[in-house]
C-alpha cells in the first residue's frame, strides 16, 4: 500500500509477466487500515491478493516466536511478520520478496539528526541532558512524554538498538561501541551519513529488521529475500549525496518539511497510482493493546513467561 512494497511490485512487473501473489496484514476494525490501497495496487499490477486481519488471538503464537528468535528480542512489528509468514506458508511460493530496509537505506530519521547537530553546535545539548535528568523518570502529562521521547531520540541518536533493545535496557552491555563524531567536528551531511551507515543500516537493518523477518520466514519454511538490501544497491546509495536521499535544508528538516527517501520516491512518483503517492505517510502504527483484551489469554501468556527458563 506504499512506496516500499509498491516499488517492489512495479519493478518486478518490468521483468516478470507471470503469476504473482501479494500478501498484506492489517488490524481488524482499525480506522488506519490500508486495505483499500493494497487492493488498488493489486489491481494495478495484476496480482492475486490475500489479506489477513489481526484480531489479538495471534498472541498465542508467542511461545513459538520466543523459541524461534533464540535470543531476548523485542520489536513491535514481530507479530505482523509472524502472521504474514504463516499466511504465505499455506501457498508455498518459490520465493518471497520483502520491502524491508528501504527506509534506512534511502534515508529517514533526518529530523532528529538535524536537531542533534544544531544542539551540538549551539551548546543546547546540555539543556537536553538536564531535561532528561529532571523529567525522564517521573510521571508527567502526555505532552511531556512525547517531548521526552523526542529528547531521548536526539540524545541517543548514536545508540543503535541491539536485538530491538536500547543500550539503556540491556543489563549486559555489548563490547562493540559506535563512536559517534561530535556535531561540532564536521558538517551536518557528514553526521547524517555516519548515522545512517553505522547505526541505521549496520545495526537497525541487520540486527533488528532483517533478523526478525528472516527468523519468522524460517519458522514456516519460507524463502525470503530483500531486494532493497542488495549489495549492488547499497554500494550505489553510499555514493549518493545527502540531498538525493533526504532532501531539504537543515531548517526544513527540523520543521519536519524535509523529503525522505527522495530519489526512491522520485523514481516511482509517476509509476505508482496517485492515490498512493499523494497520501500522507502514516507510519508503522501497531495497536499493541489489541493483543491484551482477553483476560484468560493474558493470564496464560503471563504464566508462560513466568515459568520460562529464559
Amino acid at each position: 500500500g506504499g512506496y516500499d512494497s509498491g516499488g517492489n511490485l512495479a519493478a518486478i512487473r518490468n521483468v516478470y509477466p507471470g503469476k504473482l501473489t501479494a500478501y498484506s496484514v492489517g488490524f481488524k476494525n482499525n480506522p488506519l487500515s490500508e486495505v483499500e490501497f493494497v487492493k488498488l495496487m493489486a489491481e494495478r499490477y495484476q496480482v492475486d491478493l490475500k489479506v489477513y486481519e489481526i484480531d489479538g488471538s495471534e498472541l498465542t503464537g508467542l511461545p513459538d516466536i520466543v523459541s524461534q528468535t533464540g535470543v531476548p528480542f523485542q520489536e513491535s512489528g514481530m507479530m505482523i511478520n509472524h502472521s504474514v509468514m504463516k499466511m504465505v506458508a499455506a501457498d508455498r511460493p518459490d520465493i518471497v520478496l520483502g520491502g524491508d530496509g528501504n527506509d534506512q537505506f534511502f534515508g529517514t530519521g533526518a529530523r532528529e539528526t538535524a536537531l542533534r547537530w544544531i544542539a551540538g553546535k549551539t551548546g543546547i545539548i546540555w539543556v537536553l541532558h538536564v531535561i532528561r535528568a529532571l523529567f525522564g523518570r517521573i510521571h508527567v502529562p502526555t505532552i511531556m512524554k512525547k517531548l521526552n521521547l523526542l529528547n531521548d531520540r536526539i540524545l541517543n541518536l548514536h545508540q543503535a538498538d541491539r536485538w530491538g533493545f536500547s543500550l539503556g535496557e540491556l543489563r549486559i552491555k555489548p563490547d562493540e561501541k559506535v563512536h559517534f563524531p561530535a556535531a561540532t567536528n564536521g558538517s551536518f551531511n557528514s553526521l547524517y551519513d555516519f548515522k545512517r551507515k553505522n547505526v541505521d543500516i549496520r545495526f537497525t537493518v541487520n540486527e533488528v529488521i532483517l533478523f526478525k523477518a528472516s527468523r519468522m520466514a524460517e519458522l514456516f519454511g519460507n524463502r525470503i529475500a530483500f531486494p532493497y538490501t542488495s549489495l549492488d544497491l547499497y554500494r550505489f546509495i553510499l555514493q549518493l549525496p545527502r540531498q538525493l536521499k533526504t532532501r531539504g535544508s537543515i531548517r526544513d528538516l527540523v520543521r519536519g518539511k524535509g523529503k525522505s527517501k527522495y530519489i526512491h520516491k522520485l523514481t516511482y512518483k509517476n509509476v505508482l497510482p496517485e492515490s498512493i503517492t499523494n497520501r500522507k505517510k502514516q507510519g508503522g502504527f501497531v495497536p499493541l493493546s489489541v493483543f491484551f483484551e482477553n483476560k484468560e489469554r493474558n493470564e496464560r501468556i503471563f504464566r508462560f513467561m513466568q515459568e520460562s527458563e529464559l
Side-chain angles (χ1 to χ4, degrees):
Y3 269 100
D4 298 353
S5 54
N8 268 347
L9 278 176
I12 197 171
R13 273 305 185 215
N14 282 334
V15 297
Y16 178 73
K19 177 180 172 59
L20 289 175
T21 303
Y23 301 87
S24 184
V25 170
F27 287 85
K28 202 168 185 177
N29 301 322
N30 182 11
L32 298 178
S33 174
E34 295 185 327
V35 172
E36 61 175 300
F37 299 105
V38 172
K39 290 180 178 178
L40 180 66
M41 293 289 284
E43 183 178 344
R44 174 70 168 261
Y45 294 103
Q46 298 180 320
V47 301
D48 296 331
L49 175 64
K50 297 190 177 182
V51 178
Y52 178 79
E53 291 189 313
I54 290 174
D55 62 12
S57 62
E58 296 77 14
L59 193 65
T60 55
L62 186 58
D64 291 335
I65 292 176
V66 172
S67 177
Q68 179 68 7
T69 55
V71 296
F73 185 88
Q74 70 168 9
E75 208 277 334
S76 62
M78 177 69 83
M79 203 67 71
I80 296 176
N81 287 89
H82 182 268
S83 297
V84 74
M85 286 299 113
K86 184 177 181 179
M87 178 170 54
V88 169
D91 293 340
R92 293 293 174 199
D94 294 330
I95 195 164
V96 184
L97 301 180
D100 303 86
N102 191 31
D103 288 344
Q104 291 75 22
F105 270 53
F106 282 95
T108 58
R111 186 180 190 183
E112 292 81 5
T113 308
L115 287 168
R116 170 65 183 252
W117 187 79
I118 290 176
K121 281 286 187 181
T122 59
I124 294 177
I125 193 167
W126 298 110
V127 177
L128 300 183
H129 280 291
V130 171
I131 292 175
R132 182 170 65 175
L134 290 175
F135 302 107
R137 301 295 180 185
I138 62 174
H139 180 72
V140 293
T142 301
I143 184 65
M144 280 300 297
K145 289 180 181 178
K146 292 181 179 180
L147 290 174
N148 282 337
L149 180 62
L150 177 60
N151 193 31
D152 280 342
R153 290 174 70 175
I154 295 169
L155 292 175
N156 298 324
L157 197 70
H158 64 298
Q159 294 188 4
D161 289 350
R162 264 68 170 193
W163 311 286
F165 295 91
S166 68
L167 284 178
E169 292 171 318
L170 294 177
R171 182 176 299 173
I172 301 175
K173 309 300 181 185
D175 293 332
E176 191 172 18
K177 303 289 184 182
V178 177
H179 298 287
F180 207 53
T184 53
N185 293 343
S187 67
F188 167 72
N189 287 345
S190 64
L191 185 69
Y192 171 89
D193 284 334
F194 179 92
K195 188 256 183 184
R196 197 179 54 82
K197 180 180 178 181
N198 292 284
V199 177
D200 295 345
I201 296 176
R202 182 181 175 190
F203 286 106
T204 303
V205 169
N206 292 324
E207 288 193 358
V208 180
I209 297 175
L210 298 193
F211 172 78
K212 57 120 177 179
S214 298
R215 294 300 283 168
M216 290 304 100
E218 291 171 3
L219 177 61
F220 295 100
N222 297 321
R223 299 171 59 200
I224 191 167
F226 309 97
Y228 289 114
T229 63
S230 75
L231 287 176
D232 287 341
L233 189 57
Y234 171 69
R235 295 187 184 103
F236 168 70
I237 291 172
L238 285 184
Q239 301 175 42
L240 296 178
R242 193 268 297 175
Q243 287 279 6
L244 286 182
K245 289 170 283 196
T246 299
R247 196 168 186 82
S249 65
I250 297 176
R251 183 178 179 182
D252 290 335
L253 299 180
V254 168
R255 296 169 59 198
K257 302 295 184 180
K259 297 180 179 179
S260 62
K261 300 191 291 189
Y262 178 73
I263 191 173
H264 179 258
K265 291 180 178 178
L266 185 66
T267 301
Y268 290 106
K269 174 71 175 177
N270 296 322
V271 177
L272 301 177
E274 284 188 17
S275 56
I276 300 292
T277 59
N278 290 338
R279 72 187 179 99
K280 186 178 180 181
K281 180 178 175 62
Q282 67 184 40
F285 173 71
V286 179
L288 294 176
S289 60
V290 71
F291 297 113
F292 303 102
E293 294 173 351
N294 184 297
K295 185 177 180 180
E296 181 182 347
R297 186 172 64 229
N298 287 351
E299 293 175 352
R300 189 165 63 250
I301 290 294
F302 293 152
R303 188 163 56 249
F304 162 78
M305 293 169 63
Q306 290 171 341
E307 296 172 357
S308 167
E309 182 181 350
L310 177 65

